[in-house]
Amino acid sequence: MSLLVTGTIAIDTIKTPHGISEDCLGGAAVYFSMAAGFFSPVRLVGVVGDDFSFNLAELFAGRDVDLTGMETRAQSKTFRWTGRYHQNMDDRTTERTELNVIAEAPPKVPEAFKDSQCVFLANTVPAIQLELLEQVEKPAFVAADTMNLWIQEHLTDLKILLKKIDCLFINEDEARMLADEFNLIVAARKILDMGMNTIVIKKGESGSILCNADGDIFILPAYPANEVIDPTGAGDSFAGGFMGYIAKTGKTDFETLKTAVAYGTVTASFTIADFSLNGLTKITQREIDDRLVKLRKLVTFS
Amino acid sequence: MSLLVTGTIAIDTIKTPHGISEDCLGGAAVYFSMAAGFFSPVRLVGVVGDDFSFNLAELFAGRDVDLTGMETRAQSKTFRWTGRYHQNMDDRTTERTELNVIAEAPPKVPEAFKDSQCVFLANTVPAIQLELLEQVEKPAFVAADTMNLWIQEHLTDLKILLKKIDCLFINEDEARMLADEFNLIVAARKILDMGMNTIVIKKGESGSILCNADGDIFILPAYPANEVIDPTGAGDSFAGGFMGYIAKTGKTDFETLKTAVAYGTVTASFTIADFSLNGLTKITQREIDDRLVKLRKLVTFS
C-alpha cells in the first residue's frame, strides 16, 4: 500500500546527560520517513522555512521517499525545538519551542499523494490532522499520534479525529489522561470506545501495548538498550517501522499488526542509540531483521 | 528438589483505593508458600507471636506446606505492617511497622529441613538471611529478595550475601540504587558482577527482566490486569511461582528459568486480583496453566 506521512520537519537542539546536539535535523515526519523507508516507499508532506539548510533528498538517498509534498516557504522560518532529557531518558523538558512556519497555514497534500492508502498523521493540532486527512481520498488505514497538550486544550477536535482514524499511537501518561483511568488495559478499552479500532500505547523503556476493539492484546518489551544516547524521534521511528511494515505487507489483521509493533520496536531501538537521525542512517534492513530475531528470542519461553 | 522458604509471617492492614483490609494474613513466607505450593512441596521457616490466630495448616490445606519450621513464640507479638497504596498501585507508603517478634532472634531451620536443595530467603536484614542460609547444608539453588533499606544501611552484609546466592530478586528502583546506574540492563550486569549468577528485576505492571552472568536476557511483561485490588505479596508470589517451578523440574538452566519467570508472573497476577491471600486460595493449578498459555500468546509474534 502507498504510505503518506504528514508532520513536522524540525531543527532540534537536544541536551542529554551524554552531551548536546545543536541545530540538528529532527521532526516527526523526518524520523518517520527514515524508519518507514526501510520497508516501503514513503510520501512526505511537511513544510520548512527558507532557513532550512539540510538536504533531505541526500539524507534519504537509497530510500524511496517522495519529497513532492515538502514545501519550502519563503519569508518563513523552520520549526525549532530545544529539549533537555533527564537522567531516566524517558522524561524531558521542552526548553524552547519556536513554532515559526508550523503556526502558519499547513502544507497541502499534493494531487499525486491523494490516493495514499496508508496515512500517518504525526503529532500536531488535531484540527490540522483532520484538514490533512480530508485531502486524502480513500485511505485504507489511518494512524495518528497525539499529545497531552491537545488532550487538554483541543479535546473536541481530537475526539472528532479519533472517529476518523483506524489506529492511535499514544504514550502511557497521555493514555491515562485521555481515558481518565490509571490502569492501561482499561484505559486502552476506554479510548477504543472513542472510535478507532486499534491503539498502541507506548511505554518508553518498558515497551508497548497493542489492543484492538475485538479485545485482542499484544504486549512487547522494548529492545534492551545498553545505552540510550538520544530518545528524540523514538516514537516516530516506532510509528515509521510499524506503518512501513503494514504498507509493505498490505495487511492490517492483528497478526500483521503484532509483527508491525515488533518492527517499530526494533527500528526505534536504533534511533535512540545516537543523536538525531544518525542511529537510523547508518544501519541496514538486515540489521533490523537480525534484531527482530533477537527480540523474538528475548520474549520467547517454552 | 526440596524447597525451603524463610521469611515473615505477618498481620497486615492494607489500604487501597478499593478499600481497607484490616488485620489480614500476610508476610513474605506465607505468600511465597501459597504460590510455590501449586508446583512443589514447601518447607516454611518463620516465627509468630502468641497473638497469631490464623490457622496456616487450614489455609494451606491441599498443598504440601510443611510447617515444622514455624515457631510460635510465647510472650511475643506477631510482626504487623500497615500500608497504603497510591493510585498507580505500584507505589505504597508504609504507615506503620511493628517489628515485634521479627526484632528478636530469628527462627531456626529444623534438622529435617537442612538438606533443602532450593532455598528462598525472603526479604529481611541480610545478616539474618546469611544466618539462616548457613543452617542449610548443601543447597543447589539459593535465591534472595532484598530492599532499599538494606542497600542503604546494611550494604556490607548484603554484598556478602550476594556472593553466596545464585539468584537475586530485586525491584527496578532498588536495582538502580544498588548498581548506582539508571539503565536496567547495565544495572543488572553490574549487580551480577557482585557475585550471583542470575538476577530477576521486577518492574511491577511492566513485568520483569531475567539476566544471567553469561549475558542471556529474557524480558516478560506482566499479565495484563483489568483491576488491581491489592498488590501486597505480588513479589513473593512471583518468587513462589518461580522457585516452585524450579523445585518441581529440578533444573536451573536458562530455558527453565525463563519458564519459571512466566509461572511467577502468572501466579502474581492472581495475587493482586484480591486482598490478602484470597486471590491465590481460590484458584487451581489449571487456571495457572491456562493463564500461562494466554501470556505466551500475548507476547508471541510471527
Side-chain angles (χ1 to χ4, degrees):
Chain A
M1 295 197 280
S2 47
L3 172 58
L4 171 74
V5 56
T6 67
T8 53
I9 302 166
I11 300 173
D12 288 343
T13 292
I14 314 288
K15 303 174 182 180
T16 83
H18 295 284
I20 294 178
S21 179
E22 219 158 334
D23 295 338
C24 62
L25 179 62
V30 179
Y31 279 104
F32 180 95
S33 299
M34 190 62 85
F38 284 108
F39 304 91
S40 148
V42 185
R43 298 162 165 184
L44 188 158
V45 170
V47 57
V48 294
D50 56 14
D51 60 337
F52 189 75
S53 61
F54 294 97
N55 186 335
L56 287 192
E58 209 169 83
L59 181 84
F60 290 132
R63 286 173 174 77
D64 186 354
V65 178
D66 188 335
L67 296 171
T68 310
M70 179 179 159
E71 184 190 342
T72 302
R73 203 167 287 170
Q75 261 93 57
S76 291
K77 288 178 75 182
T78 305
F79 169 57
R80 284 174 184 262
W81 179 77
T82 299
R84 177 182 294 280
Y85 287 89
H86 304 183
Q87 193 60 41
N88 71 8
M89 285 295 202
D90 267 348
D91 298 329
R92 68 185 182 192
T93 305
T94 292
E95 292 194 342
R96 194 169 175 189
T97 304
E98 297 171 60
L99 290 177
N100 296 329
V101 72
I102 298 296
E104 304 170 11
K108 294 284 174 203
V109 175
E111 270 314 311
F113 288 3
K114 293 194 170 178
D115 64 350
S116 298
Q117 291 168 286
C118 267
V119 179
F120 181 67
L121 306 164
N123 178 29
T124 188
V125 190
I128 292 181
Q129 290 175 307
L130 280 163
E131 188 180 328
L132 287 160
L133 180 56
E134 274 161 19
Q135 297 170 52
V136 184
E137 283 154 9
K138 225 174 126 184
F141 189 79
V142 180
D145 189 13
T146 194
M147 71 185 291
N148 48 6
L149 190 63
W150 318 134
I151 297 168
Q152 287 161 330
E153 297 182 10
H154 293 258
L155 189 58
T156 307
D157 285 348
L158 179 60
K159 289 208 166 167
I160 295 171
L161 178 73
L162 296 183
K163 291 190 199 308
K164 299 195 175 192
I165 64 174
D166 300 285
C167 176
L168 178 67
F169 288 87
I170 191 165
N171 78 34
E172 58 179 325
D173 292 338
E174 292 158 356
R176 292 185 170 113
M177 182 188 284
L178 179 56
D180 190 22
E181 164 67 44
F182 191 85
N183 181 306
L184 286 179
I185 301 298
V186 179
R189 208 174 305 131
K190 287 176 85 171
I191 295 171
L192 287 168
D193 284 343
M194 296 176 191
M196 86 277 351
N197 182 64
T198 304
I199 183 170
V200 180
I201 299 180
K202 299 173 288 178
K203 301 181 71 186
E205 60 137 3
S206 290
S208 58
I209 304 175
L210 168 75
C211 302
N212 71 12
D214 295 333
D216 294 317
I217 303 179
F218 174 62
I219 309 181
L220 194 66
Y223 188 82
N226 287 326
E227 197 168 45
V228 177
I229 298 293
D230 174 14
T232 310
D236 295 304
S237 304
F238 180 100
F242 179 95
M243 295 294 283
Y245 181 74
I246 289 172
K248 178 186 176 181
T249 59
K251 296 194 287 187
T252 60
D253 60 288
F254 199 68
E255 279 307 306
T256 302
L257 297 187
K258 282 161 67 170
T259 310
V261 165
Y263 271 116
T265 298
V266 163
T267 311
S269 76
F270 286 106
T271 297
I272 64 178
D274 206 340
F275 278 107
S276 184
L277 275 300
N278 300 336
L280 283 185
T281 47
K282 65 186 176 200
I283 56 157
T284 62
Q285 172 69 43
R286 178 155 186 180
E287 283 170 86
I288 290 182
D289 286 332
D290 286 351
R291 194 168 278 190
L292 189 90
V293 172
K294 286 184 189 160
L295 178 62
R296 186 183 289 118
K297 194 163 167 251
L298 276 169
V299 299
T300 302
F301 62 93
S302 51
Chain B
M1 295 198 280
S2 48
L3 172 59
L4 172 74
V5 57
T6 67
T8 53
I9 302 166
I11 300 173
D12 289 341
T13 292
I14 313 286
K15 304 173 182 180
T16 82
H18 295 284
I20 293 177
S21 179
E22 218 158 337
D23 294 337
C24 61
L25 179 62
V30 179
Y31 279 104
F32 180 95
S33 301
M34 189 62 86
F38 284 109
F39 304 92
S40 150
V42 185
R43 299 162 165 185
L44 187 158
V45 169
V47 56
V48 295
D50 57 13
D51 60 337
F52 190 76
S53 60
F54 294 97
N55 185 335
L56 286 193
E58 207 168 84
L59 180 84
F60 291 132
R63 285 173 176 77
D64 185 354
V65 179
D66 188 335
L67 296 172
T68 309
M70 179 180 158
E71 184 191 343
T72 302
R73 203 167 289 171
Q75 261 92 58
S76 290
K77 287 178 76 180
T78 305
F79 170 57
R80 284 173 184 262
W81 179 76
T82 300
R84 178 184 292 280
Y85 287 90
H86 303 181
Q87 192 59 43
N88 71 7
M89 284 295 201
D90 268 347
D91 297 328
R92 67 186 183 193
T93 304
T94 292
E95 293 193 343
R96 195 171 174 186
T97 305
E98 297 171 59
L99 290 177
N100 297 331
V101 72
I102 298 295
E104 304 170 12
K108 294 283 173 206
V109 176
E111 270 315 311
F113 288 3
K114 292 194 172 179
D115 64 350
S116 297
Q117 293 169 285
C118 268
V119 178
F120 180 67
L121 307 165
N123 178 29
T124 188
V125 191
I128 293 182
Q129 290 174 307
L130 279 163
E131 187 180 329
L132 288 160
L133 180 56
E134 274 160 19
Q135 298 170 52
V136 185
E137 283 152 11
K138 225 173 124 184
F141 189 80
V142 180
D145 190 13
T146 193
M147 72 184 291
N148 48 6
L149 190 61
W150 318 135
I151 297 169
Q152 287 162 331
E153 297 182 10
H154 294 258
L155 189 58
T156 307
D157 286 348
L158 180 59
K159 288 206 168 170
I160 295 170
L161 178 74
L162 297 184
K163 291 189 199 310
K164 301 195 174 193
I165 64 174
D166 301 285
C167 176
L168 177 69
F169 287 87
I170 191 164
N171 79 33
E172 57 179 326
D173 292 337
E174 291 158 357
R176 291 186 171 113
M177 183 188 286
L178 178 57
D180 189 23
E181 163 68 45
F182 192 84
N183 181 306
L184 287 178
I185 300 299
V186 180
R189 210 174 304 133
K190 287 176 84 171
I191 295 171
L192 288 169
D193 285 343
M194 296 177 191
M196 84 276 356
N197 182 65
T198 304
I199 183 170
V200 180
I201 299 180
K202 299 173 288 179
K203 300 181 70 184
E205 60 138 2
S206 291
S208 58
I209 304 176
L210 168 75
C211 301
N212 71 12
D214 295 333
D216 294 317
I217 303 179
F218 174 61
I219 309 181
L220 194 67
Y223 188 82
N226 287 325
E227 197 167 45
V228 178
I229 298 295
D230 175 13
T232 310
D236 295 303
S237 304
F238 181 99
F242 180 95
M243 295 294 285
Y245 182 74
I246 288 172
K248 178 186 176 184
T249 59
K251 294 193 288 184
T252 59
D253 60 286
F254 199 68
E255 279 306 306
T256 302
L257 297 187
K258 282 160 69 170
T259 309
V261 166
Y263 271 116
T265 299
V266 163
T267 311
S269 76
F270 286 106
T271 298
I272 64 178
D274 206 341
F275 278 107
S276 184
L277 276 300
N278 300 336
L280 283 184
T281 47
K282 65 186 176 198
I283 57 157
T284 61
Q285 172 69 42
R286 176 152 187 184
E287 282 169 270
I288 289 181
D289 286 333
D290 286 351
R291 194 168 279 191
L292 190 89
V293 172
K294 285 184 190 161
L295 178 62
R296 187 182 288 117
K297 193 162 167 254
L298 276 169
V299 299
T300 302
F301 61 93
S302 50

